[in-house]
Amino acid sequence: MSEEELNERHAEKMRRKKAAREKILATKTIEKGLLIVHTGKGKGKSTAAFGLIFRALGHGFKVGIVQFVKGAWDTGERVVLDKFPDQVTVKVMGDGFTWDTQDRARDIASARAAWDAAKEMIADPSYRMILLDELNIVLRYGYLPLEEVVETLKAKPDDTHVIVTGRNAKDELVEIADLVTDMTQIKHPFRAGVKAQVGVEF
Amino acid sequence: MSEEELNERHAEKMRRKKAAREKILATKTIEKGLLIVHTGKGKGKSTAAFGLIFRALGHGFKVGIVQFVKGAWDTGERVVLDKFPDQVTVKVMGDGFTWDTQDRARDIASARAAWDAAKEMIADPSYRMILLDELNIVLRYGYLPLEEVVETLKAKPDDTHVIVTGRNAKDELVEIADLVTDMTQIKHPFRAGVKAQVGVEF
């Protein structure tokens, strides 16, 4: 095939693709706040959530962040959040990873305090986006009643986006979510003996 | 089992988990810049990459961004990048999605210009992190010689992190990457008729 034929064929293919895409978009008319879940064993669950949070901040939206497991954050994220002091509310409730505290009763109390803060944010429709970071971990350990969490999330204001992160998302949460992404690990530097480092790993 | 026994058993389990974790971390001693690939059909590939970029900015690092496909970005991200004017270099080289331009020759020229800008950044060790956004798309369409891209990435400075995003990452790229995550779509709001919206979809 000549270069010209190749180009013409390509243009035709792209015209069809564009038309198909526009047709799909035209059928999507419901605008609403989404319940988004980032789960899976791979990297990027919280990082992608922060990407959404930063984007929302760029749009001037008010956002809330509840950290259910302390120690999971990189200081770099705080520096960026601090650029938007009037738009962000951050609640850091965890007392550390569970393998650090080794104290189940204290972990349960921390989870409850974090969840109470989260419920308050969810009830306030002025928040356009709320990140419940590592909530899945807390649910997996059974530190909060799943039913209460599911009911609260189902009743969130229509315009509020809520993002839940962490491995092992509960089926009941996936069931009610609008958008679920599994970050699947294909290759990890730990296998090659590379140390966790500032700016990429926490 | 009594609550007390449950707590004691939990503490013992967490002690073992912590010890195992520390043992693993102790063996990881190589510090180096990573080649990171975000691929897959799910959401979050570029968003997670921007999360890493923002984190790096928070650490005061100099970062470079090359956008291979125009139109993929949300304006919110630009607002956040603009908060760090001295640390960020952005090159927007694409002329639009290929299904918008419908012009293969122009797309190839755009890809070449973007790649030349990327190569310049990669050759400059003052960049600590470089995002090659949607490079996978361009490679998939065959708009750049894969071998040249692979050789350049293999020869990147040791301390530079390079992130490549986009669906359908080439096997040759996955092969040389340090960290590869596949964003796997479990559930997408399009299925439920929800429209793309500011702050979540581009």
Side-chain angles (χ1 to χ4, degrees), chain A residues 155-172:
Chain A
K156 75 169 180 57
D158 278 349
D159 292 338
T160 308
H161 298 291
V162 176
I163 314 164
V164 176
T165 71
R167 291 180 181 205
N168 301 107
K170 291 278 182 188
D171 291 344
E172 292 85 344

Side-chain angles (χ1 to χ4, degrees), chain A residues 3 6-7 10-18 21-22 24-25 27-34 36 38-39 42-44 46-52 54-59 61 72 74-77 79-80 83-84 97-105 107-108 128-129 140-141 143 161 173-202, chain B residues 3 6-7 10-18 21-22 24-25 27-34 36 38-39 42-44 46-52 54-59 61 72 74-77 79-80 83-84 97-105 107-108 128-129 140-141 143 161 173-202:
Chain A
E3 189 72 6
L6 204 62
N7 288 347
H10 174 84
E12 178 51 32
K13 193 172 150 195
M14 289 300 123
R15 270 193 293 275
R16 284 200 305 272
K17 202 157 183 169
K18 187 182 181 183
R21 195 178 147 84
E22 281 170 355
I24 289 170
L25 285 172
T27 64
K28 311 301 170 189
T29 49
I30 310 165
E31 276 205 40
K32 65 160 198 159
L34 304 176
I36 299 168
H38 292 173
T39 192
K43 306 285 301 172
S46 294
T47 308
F50 271 103
L52 291 173
F54 292 138
R55 196 186 283 178
L57 289 172
H59 283 286
F61 296 157
D74 184 278
T75 51
E77 271 138 12
V79 173
V80 182
K83 299 270 181 185
F84 301 88
F97 273 112
T98 45
W99 47 86
D100 281 329
T101 60
Q102 299 166 15
D103 182 339
R104 190 169 160 271
D107 286 344
I108 291 174
R128 285 290 294 275
M129 188 177 280
R140 192 201 175 190
Y141 277 92
Y143 289 171
H161 298 291
L173 187 64
V174 168
E175 183 60 37
I176 62 164
D178 301 293
L179 172 59
V180 180
T181 306
D182 184 288
M183 273 62 172
T184 308
Q185 180 178 303
I186 306 290
K187 206 171 179 184
H188 192 285
F190 266 20
R191 291 194 199 157
V194 177
K195 199 169 136 186
Q197 54 216 284
V198 147
V200 176
E201 306 267 348
F202 54 80
Chain B
E3 189 72 6
L6 205 62
N7 288 346
H10 174 83
E12 178 50 33
K13 193 173 151 195
M14 289 300 123
R15 270 192 293 275
R16 284 200 305 271
K17 203 159 183 169
K18 188 181 181 183
R21 196 178 148 84
E22 281 170 354
I24 290 168
L25 285 171
T27 65
K28 311 301 170 189
T29 49
I30 309 165
E31 278 204 39
K32 65 160 198 161
L34 304 175
I36 299 169
H38 292 172
T39 191
K43 307 283 302 172
S46 294
T47 309
F50 271 104
L52 290 174
F54 292 137
R55 195 186 283 178
L57 289 172
H59 282 287
F61 295 157
D74 182 279
T75 50
E77 270 139 12
V79 174
V80 182
K83 299 270 181 184
F84 300 88
F97 273 111
T98 44
W99 47 86
D100 282 328
T101 60
Q102 298 166 16
D103 182 337
R104 191 169 160 272
D107 286 344
I108 290 174
R128 286 289 296 273
M129 188 178 277
R140 192 200 176 191
Y141 277 91
Y143 289 170
H161 298 291
L173 187 64
V174 169
E175 182 60 36
I176 63 164
D178 301 292
L179 171 61
V180 180
T181 306
D182 184 288
M183 272 64 171
T184 309
Q185 180 178 303
I186 306 289
K187 206 171 179 183
H188 193 284
F190 268 20
R191 292 194 199 155
V194 177
K195 199 169 135 184
Q197 56 215 282
V198 148
V200 178
E201 307 269 347
F202 55 78

